[in-house]
Tab-separated table of all heavy atoms in Angstrom:
chain	number	residue	atom	x	y	z
N	4	LYS	N	-3.113	4.027	1.034
N	4	LYS	CA	-1.674	3.469	0.939
N	4	LYS	C	-1.397	2.987	2.406
N	4	LYS	O	-1.387	3.690	3.257
N	4	LYS	CB	-0.702	4.543	0.493
N	4	LYS	CG	-0.772	4.742	-1.012
N	4	LYS	CD	0.584	5.087	-1.550
N	4	LYS	CE	0.580	4.983	-2.967
N	4	LYS	NZ	1.830	5.290	-3.535
N	13	THR	N	-14.686	-1.208	-0.828
N	13	THR	CA	-15.555	-1.903	-1.673
N	13	THR	C	-16.305	-1.004	-2.731
N	13	THR	O	-16.292	-1.394	-3.864
N	13	THR	CB	-16.800	-2.566	-0.716
N	13	THR	OG1	-16.129	-3.430	0.249
N	13	THR	CG2	-17.668	-3.370	-1.660
N	15	GLU	N	-15.248	1.758	-4.134
N	15	GLU	CA	-14.288	2.093	-5.074
N	15	GLU	C	-13.882	0.961	-6.067
N	15	GLU	O	-13.875	1.134	-7.283
N	15	GLU	CB	-12.999	2.615	-4.461
N	15	GLU	CG	-13.156	3.850	-3.500
N	15	GLU	CD	-11.986	4.074	-2.642
N	15	GLU	OE1	-11.424	3.145	-2.053
N	15	GLU	OE2	-11.628	5.312	-2.465
N	19	ILE	N	-14.574	0.834	-10.005
N	19	ILE	CA	-13.497	0.534	-10.922
N	19	ILE	C	-13.814	-0.642	-11.830
N	19	ILE	O	-13.530	-0.665	-13.027
N	19	ILE	CB	-12.213	0.425	-10.264
N	19	ILE	CG1	-11.773	1.643	-9.597
N	19	ILE	CG2	-11.032	-0.088	-11.281
N	19	ILE	CD1	-10.565	1.541	-8.610
N	26	THR	N	-24.322	-6.358	-6.713
N	26	THR	CA	-23.876	-7.510	-7.442
N	26	THR	C	-22.719	-8.122	-6.738
N	26	THR	O	-22.508	-9.350	-6.701
N	26	THR	CB	-23.507	-7.044	-8.954
N	26	THR	OG1	-24.699	-6.546	-9.488
N	26	THR	CG2	-22.934	-8.194	-9.802
N	31	LEU	N	-20.586	-12.792	-3.894
N	31	LEU	CA	-19.968	-13.360	-2.750
N	31	LEU	C	-20.867	-14.401	-2.054
N	31	LEU	O	-20.377	-15.640	-1.773
N	31	LEU	CB	-19.685	-12.275	-1.583
N	31	LEU	CG	-18.481	-11.421	-1.818
N	31	LEU	CD1	-18.294	-10.482	-0.597
N	31	LEU	CD2	-17.183	-12.238	-1.819
N	40	GLY	N	-9.045	-11.292	1.541
N	40	GLY	CA	-8.513	-11.582	2.868
N	40	GLY	C	-8.042	-10.424	3.713
N	40	GLY	O	-7.720	-10.455	4.868
N	41	ARG	N	-8.089	-9.223	3.233
N	41	ARG	CA	-7.680	-8.049	3.946
N	41	ARG	C	-8.829	-7.094	4.342
N	41	ARG	O	-9.774	-6.849	3.516
N	41	ARG	CB	-6.744	-7.235	3.077
N	41	ARG	CG	-5.426	-7.983	2.828
N	41	ARG	CD	-4.719	-7.347	1.583
N	41	ARG	NE	-5.442	-7.463	0.456
N	41	ARG	CZ	-5.715	-8.516	-0.443
N	41	ARG	NH1	-5.314	-9.601	-0.023
N	41	ARG	NH2	-6.365	-8.339	-1.459
N	43	ASP	N	-9.658	-3.494	6.952
N	43	ASP	CA	-9.120	-2.440	7.791
N	43	ASP	C	-9.490	-2.708	9.216
N	43	ASP	O	-10.287	-3.520	9.538
N	43	ASP	CB	-9.408	-1.100	7.330
N	43	ASP	CG	-10.798	-0.606	7.299
N	43	ASP	OD1	-11.611	-1.361	7.972
N	43	ASP	OD2	-11.223	0.464	6.788
N	64	ARG	N	-16.144	-13.209	-18.085
N	64	ARG	CA	-16.629	-14.557	-18.149
N	64	ARG	C	-18.189	-14.630	-18.231
N	64	ARG	O	-18.798	-15.359	-19.012
N	64	ARG	CB	-16.175	-15.343	-17.008
N	64	ARG	CG	-16.227	-16.887	-17.194
N	64	ARG	CD	-15.730	-17.634	-16.022
N	64	ARG	NE	-16.602	-17.503	-14.819
N	64	ARG	CZ	-17.822	-18.053	-14.722
N	64	ARG	NH1	-18.313	-18.826	-15.732
N	64	ARG	NH2	-18.493	-17.939	-13.614
N	66	ASN	N	-20.198	-12.244	-19.126
N	66	ASN	CA	-20.722	-11.593	-20.389
N	66	ASN	C	-20.285	-12.401	-21.599
N	66	ASN	O	-20.713	-12.104	-22.759
N	66	ASN	CB	-20.095	-10.242	-20.538
N	66	ASN	CG	-20.748	-9.256	-19.481
N	66	ASN	OD1	-21.821	-9.541	-18.921
N	66	ASN	ND2	-20.058	-8.208	-19.189
Side-chain angles (χ1 to χ4, degrees):
K4 278 213 170 181
T13 305
E15 298 165 319
I19 294 167
T26 298
L31 276 181
R41 292 160 304 282
D43 68 8
R64 194 182 70 73
N66 291 335

